[in-house]
Amino acid sequence: MKTKENMVEWIKKQKTAFIGSVDEDGFPNIKAVFSPGKIEGDSFYFSTNTSSLRAQQFLKKPKASLYFYRRDRFKYEGLMLVGTVEILHDIKIKEELWHPGDIIYYKLGVTDPDYCVLKFTATKGRYYCNLKTESFHLADLK
């Protein structure tokens, strides 16, 4: 990834992300999630259930990773980001990420106590494309 702007634009085109947490025994846990509902600076926002296993793991151990990929017939690109997750209950960010269809998951709407936002803040990453890898710190990207 040459710039943060390139990285964000590439991420926005991906429909799925994989988020990694650490369980109580120190093992990595990976889960597929929809692409971020919001990207701001080095932070990526996802809505989820407060009661979910992932949210509970992040409350205990905030270290996390995100992985995005794009595969077509002749090319594979992958981007891993490493950072930490905060669990947010702020009504403003919950409203910002809310979609009308979310009512299926959160019966009480945007104020449902089981509705929260994961704020993943990346510090470094690794990009793969065309048999080449590149490690980087987000602070170093323009």
Side-chain angles (χ1 to χ4, degrees), residues 20-139:
S21 58
V22 180
D23 71 15
E24 63 277 354
D25 296 319
F27 288 98
N29 289 207
I30 307 296
K31 177 183 171 125
V33 293
F34 292 116
S35 59
K38 176 181 178 177
I39 301 172
E40 183 177 67
D42 298 341
S43 296
F44 302 79
Y45 297 79
F46 304 85
S47 54
T48 193
N49 295 82
T50 305
S51 62
S52 72
L53 174 63
R54 209 72 50 220
Q56 297 309 304
Q57 288 175 338
F58 289 133
L59 283 171
K60 293 175 186 169
K61 297 177 183 174
K63 290 183 178 181
S65 63
L66 273 179
Y67 189 78
F68 301 90
Y69 78 97
R70 180 177 165 269
R71 186 181 102 186
D72 60 28
R73 194 168 185 186
F74 300 106
K75 185 176 181 180
Y76 180 92
E77 290 179 87
L79 173 65
M80 179 188 67
L81 298 173
V82 176
T84 56
V85 168
E86 296 172 68
I87 308 294
L88 306 179
H89 295 282
D90 178 74
I91 193 68
K92 184 177 176 187
I93 189 65
K94 287 170 66 171
E95 286 175 342
E96 195 172 340
L97 268 63
W98 182 261
H99 295 97
D102 290 344
I103 196 74
I104 295 168
Y105 308 107
Y106 313 106
K107 301 296 183 203
L108 301 176
V110 74
T111 60
D112 194 318
D114 198 36
Y115 172 51
C116 70
V117 172
L118 302 179
K119 178 185 178 185
F120 173 89
T121 302
T123 55
K124 62 183 180 177
R126 190 162 173 86
Y127 174 69
Y128 170 85
C129 184
N130 296 329
L131 303 175
K132 295 178 185 164
T133 59
E134 164 191 356
S135 294
F136 57 89
H137 288 273
L138 270 81

